[in-house]
Amino acid sequence: MLTVRRAVEADYPTVAKQAAAAYIDHGIVTVDDDYVALLAQLSDHNTEPSLVLVAEIDGQLAASVVYCPYGSQLTDVCGPGEAEFRMLAVYTGYERQGAALALIEACADIAREQGLTTLVACVLATNEPAGRLYRRLGYLRRPARDWVAPGGFALQTLVQNLNAVYCGRCGHELSARDHNECVAALELEPPRYCEQCKRRMVVQVIPAGWTATCSVHGTTTGTVSLS
C-alpha cells in the first residue's frame, strides 16, 4: 500500500540518510558532492511554507521530496503564483513502485489548494531518468530558467500549468488520449492552443524565442528552439 504524508520528527534520521544514499546509489552524484550534504539536511526544511513529504510503501519510508512555494528558502526559479518541488528521492529498493509519481501529484494538489498556477521542477542535467518522468507527466522545458546551484551543479527547469485542461499542441483534452508525442514536440515549438480554454494562440517569434498569447488567459513565453 502506497501513502503520502508530511514528514514528522521521527522520520528525519531515515529521510536524511536515505535521500542522500538514493542519489549516490543511482549514480546522480558522488559521495563527495556538495549536493549530498544538502540532501542530508533535507529534513531541516520542514518548516512553513516549505513542506517535506514522504511516501510510504507498506508502512516503510520509500521516498521523499520538499515542496517549496514562492518565498520559501529553497526556491530558486519559481515566481509569484508558483511552487517548486526539490530533492525528490526514491530510496534504494523502492524504485518503480509509484512513489515518485505519488509525491509529485501530492505537491501539485497542495499547490492547487494554495491557489497557485504553476509547479516547477528543477532536475540535475545529468539525471535523465527524472527528466524523462517529468516530460512524461507533461512538464515542459524552460531553458531560460535553468540555473547553477552552489557547487557547480547545473539544473534544468521544467514547468507544468496546474490549470491545464487541453493539450497546447493538439488542443484535445489531456484526459482523452496519450500526449507523449505532443509533450516532446512542445520542447521544440510554441503551443498552438491555450491549455485552459482551447482558444487558438497567437504566436510571435521574438529575438529571445517566442510568445504565445491567448486572448483570455494571457501570454506564455519560451526560448525553446523552433527548429
Side-chain angles (χ1 to χ4, degrees):
M1 181 178 179
L2 174 61
T3 59
V4 172
R5 59 174 174 81
R6 180 172 178 173
V8 297
E9 187 171 356
D11 299 322
Y12 292 172
T14 299
V15 168
K17 178 181 178 180
Q18 295 299 331
Y23 272 66
I24 295 170
D25 291 346
H26 295 151
I28 301 168
V29 298
T30 65
V31 68
D32 297 322
D33 285 337
D34 292 342
Y35 200 70
V36 173
L38 182 63
L39 288 162
Q41 299 166 1
L42 184 147
S43 56
D44 294 345
H45 302 292
N46 201 26
T47 56
E48 300 289 352
S50 296
L51 300 171
V52 176
L53 303 177
V54 294
E56 290 184 323
I57 295 178
D58 296 331
Q60 301 298 311
L61 291 175
S64 55
V65 72
V66 185
Y67 169 80
C68 312
Y70 176 69
S72 60
Q73 182 181 3
L74 282 177
T75 55
D76 286 283
V77 296
C78 76
E82 299 181 338
E84 299 177 34
F85 62 88
R86 299 288 310 278
M87 296 182 283
L88 175 65
V90 177
Y91 304 158
T92 303
Y94 291 98
E95 300 89 345
R96 297 181 178 85
Q97 297 185 54
L101 178 59
L103 287 172
I104 294 171
E105 290 178 341
C107 289
D109 288 342
I110 294 171
R112 291 188 184 96
E113 290 171 2
Q114 294 177 343
L116 306 181
T117 60
T118 304
L119 190 59
V120 180
C122 295
V123 59
L124 287 166
T126 55
N127 190 357
E128 179 54 28
R132 285 198 302 269
L133 171 63
Y134 301 151
R135 292 191 295 271
R136 180 169 61 83
L137 295 176
Y139 283 76
L140 300 177
R141 283 276 288 114
R142 290 292 180 260
R145 301 174 71 174
D146 291 353
W147 58 288
V148 178
F153 297 99
L155 289 159
Q156 297 179 343
T157 301
L158 302 92
V159 303
Q160 184 179 64
N161 179 357
L162 296 174
N163 297 321
V165 177
Y166 303 98
C167 174
R169 183 170 186 261
C170 70
H172 290 97
E173 290 187 12
L174 292 174
S175 60
R177 50 178 287 189
D178 186 304
H179 293 273
N180 288 341
E181 291 185 5
C182 291
V183 170
L186 287 170
E187 293 187 35
L188 304 173
E189 62 189 46
R192 305 170 186 175
Y193 298 92
C194 176
E195 295 178 336
Q196 297 180 59
C197 68
K198 199 181 176 180
R199 284 180 172 82
R200 187 78 180 193
M201 304 281 270
V202 177
V203 176
Q204 180 179 9
V205 178
I206 58 176
W210 52 261
T211 64
T213 302
C214 170
S215 59
V216 173
H217 294 105
T219 299
T220 300
T221 62
T223 59
V224 181
S225 170
L226 298 177
S227 60

